[in-house]
Amino acid sequence: MHVTRFLRSQHQSLAHIVDHYAQYPPTGLTMKRIVEFAREGDAQQSFLFLRNELPVRLASMMKEMGHLPPRLLKMPSVKTVNGWYGTSLFELHSFKHLKPTGEIIKKFTETLQNIRRRHKSVVETLAQGYMEFSDSGKVKEYEESQIQYFLNRFYLSRISIRLLMYQHTMCFGEEVPEHPSHLGFVDPNCFLEDTVKDAFENAQFLCEGYYLVAPSLRLRTINATNPDELISIAYVPSHLYHIMFELFKNAMRATVEYAESQKSSNKLPPITVNIVKAKEDLTIHISDRGGGIPRSKADKIFRYMYSTAPRPVSLTDSQHSGPIPLAGFGYGLPISRLYARYFNGDMQIHSIDGYGTDAYVYLQAVEDQASEWLPICNRAA
Ligand code: ADP
Ligand code: MG
């Protein structure tokens, strides 16, 4: 009896906390501001900003999650994710009125690390929940579009929350950035060619493991503003890597499978990449000759769970130790497009059915134009 009452009161106070923070819109940052803050800010300022900003971003997603189809909310994996968000919000809220002493800030930093660990597999777990939902009954069309809409906002919010947490723990905590020249998770001089080649090589390795062959890379760079300089912008290298790795896996699978279907004995056509930096845009153009996508399917490719590859085994099964699949979850394109859009960029895909596909990734070349693109909570809902 006591336990039930306790749980109910916990639940009520969580709902209260969610309502409180969800009334505020997030404070979007620009890449310029993030870089400046990493150089000139301190742990205390960061603590004061994040102890409010992180709960605001978490709470607005919890509120939106509450509007999902009730049957989806009952799926065990969805409940798990919901629970993680609730616990993390509680933990952050406990810092609301504390004085920013050295000890408190240290505790806050540890809390952020714990939250990051807790939320590590959110994407896979929620994807698992969506699979459970569609495997256990018919999904109505309006439910499908509601979920797709939500997932875009939810995953985008998650990208932003992770970046803010990394900036704190790496710039002001004890965690070290991947490279000494990085400012936290951000590289103020991210050399595009290096990351693109890196992603290509790893996708190639995966492709060869799967098909025994893989296309080669033909890369060209044009710096239209400073022709003699290597191309770089301030960016999050892991985001760029993610985008390129997903696009290369898709281009390679299409190239190999199309050549096989044509019974072609010629050498595989290469994947062509052009990286062009102009005054405003940094554009990466990836072109393959993998047979393209028919127009009837073109509007589906950015849907979560849309894939023409066989679905691999369970997403969250950590016991599973088989090879990493090349395709099949249908999360590659929608998530990559979120990464591209997050700092005011974009991704577009155009195809010629029977020939090949062109993917365009647009990034902001100007730091103060690269502002966070965030889901703003619809307060009328
Ligand atoms: P997955 O790779 O897991 O199938 P994606 O979101 O990466 O999921 O891609 C969705 C679908 O879009 C693919 O299954 C494929 O049918 C199609 N597609 C994506 N890129 C290409 C490409 N370069 N050429 C042909 N088809 C593609
Ligand atoms: Mg893919």
Side-chain angles (χ1 to χ4, degrees), residues 130 148 151-152 155 302-306 330-331 334-335 338:
Y130 187 19
Q148 296 281 336
L151 290 178
N152 270 324
Y155 289 139
F302 284 104
R303 281 196 200 167
Y304 295 91
M305 241 166 79
Y306 173 78
Y331 273 64
I335 299 255
L338 292 181

Side-chain angles (χ1 to χ4, degrees), residues 149-167:
Y149 174 81
F150 167 78
L151 290 178
N152 270 324
R153 294 166 68 85
F154 183 83
Y155 289 139
L156 179 65
S157 158
R158 179 174 186 269
I159 292 172
S160 81
I161 290 169
R162 275 170 70 81
L163 181 76
L164 294 187
M165 295 203 293
Y166 268 122
Q167 285 314 95

Side-chain angles (χ1 to χ4, degrees), residues 15 75 147 184 218 236 262 289 355:
M75 296 297 139
I147 296 166
R218 192 178 289 162
V236 187
Q262 300 294 97
R289 297 207 34 199
Y355 184 75

Side-chain angles (χ1 to χ4, degrees), residues 246 249-250 326-327 332-333:
E246 292 301 329
K249 280 191 296 180
N250 287 351
L326 190 65
L333 288 180

Side-chain angles (χ1 to χ4, degrees), residues 267-325:
K267 209 167 156 265
L268 287 175
I271 292 170
T272 320
V273 177
N274 287 307
I275 308 175
V276 184
K277 186 180 179 189
K279 262 203 205 109
E280 287 184 31
D281 290 338
L282 182 298
T283 309
I284 309 171
H285 174 203
I286 300 122
S287 195
D288 69 57
R289 297 207 34 199
I293 304 160
R295 278 191 307 149
S296 62
K297 296 199 178 121
D299 60 347
K300 298 201 178 95
I301 59 172
F302 284 104
R303 281 196 200 167
Y304 295 91
M305 241 166 79
Y306 173 78
S307 175
T308 51
R311 192 199 283 177
V313 268
S314 166
L315 273 164
T316 49
D317 185 359
S318 54
Q319 307 298 313
H320 173 69
S321 56
I324 304 170

Side-chain angles (χ1 to χ4, degrees), residues 86-143:
T87 310
S88 301
L89 182 62
F90 248 133
E91 285 178 5
L92 290 167
H93 177 68
S94 70
F95 289 91
K96 188 172 166 55
H97 298 293
L98 299 182
K99 276 216 173 72
T101 62
E103 203 177 318
I104 292 297
I105 294 172
K106 191 159 178 276
K107 248 186 132 178
F108 182 74
T109 312
E110 283 163 12
T111 303
L112 295 192
Q113 282 166 323
N114 277 336
I115 293 177
R116 221 176 57 218
R117 270 193 290 273
R118 178 179 304 129
H119 290 235
K120 198 166 172 276
S121 57
V122 160
V123 177
E124 296 87 335
T125 311
L126 200 58
Q128 183 76 35
Y130 187 19
M131 269 187 208
E132 288 161 5
F133 175 67
S134 49
D135 288 349
S136 67
K138 189 159 164 36
V139 182
K140 300 188 184 87
E141 217 171 287
Y142 75 88
E143 289 178 327

